[in-house]
Amino acid sequence: GGLMVRLVNSVPFFQSIEDEKMSSLNVINFGGTDIGMNNLLEGVKLLSKDTKASIRELYLGGCGIGCRRGTTHLKEVLEFLSTELTTLDLRYNDMEGKDLVNL
């Protein structure tokens, strides 16, 4: 079997992006990390407007989103990110139809 990586706190990652003045971040890949959507939201809020606008791809496959009722926070994350988001990977989550309607 494989090893599951749990990302407990993404805030330091996002804070370091801002500390280093990285204004361009094209891809965020937290696939398979089981990151909590509330923590992701907290981290995304730290990003500058320009950095948020540069994000084109967001990978969250296999993060157990539906089973932890994370779709509300995920919706907020998506509202913060660019309207230019071209890829949103939500495969291998525990979402149901009503979860997707909320998005």
Side-chain angles (χ1 to χ4, degrees):
L3 179 64
M4 175 66 159
V5 176
R6 294 200 184 270
L7 184 60
V8 178
N9 187 1
S10 69
V11 171
F13 167 75
F14 288 106
Q15 187 61 58
S16 68
I17 289 170
E18 286 307 300
D19 291 347
E20 296 295 323
K21 308 276 190 251
M22 298 170 123
S23 61
S24 179
L25 179 65
N26 295 317
V27 178
I28 296 177
N29 186 350
F30 286 131
T33 62
D34 215 19
I35 185 174
M37 293 300 101
N38 58 337
N39 185 256
L40 179 60
L41 176 60
E42 188 179 347
V44 166
K45 285 180 177 179
L46 296 174
L47 296 176
S48 71
K49 183 178 180 180
D50 288 340
T51 304
K52 289 177 201 169
S54 71
I55 298 170
R56 299 290 180 262
E57 300 177 31
L58 178 60
Y59 294 90
L60 299 170
C63 289
I65 296 171
C67 68
R68 289 182 282 149
R69 299 189 180 116
T71 53
T72 302
H73 290 117
L74 175 57
K75 182 178 179 180
E76 290 181 62
V77 166
L78 295 175
E79 289 169 355
F80 273 105
L81 296 181
S82 169
T83 56
E84 301 298 319
L85 193 68
T86 58
T87 303
L88 175 61
D89 180 3
L90 297 173
R91 63 187 153 169
Y92 306 116
N93 281 290
D94 300 319
M95 292 186 197
E96 298 176 354
K98 62 183 175 182
D99 296 318
L100 297 176
V101 169
N102 289 337
L103 296 177

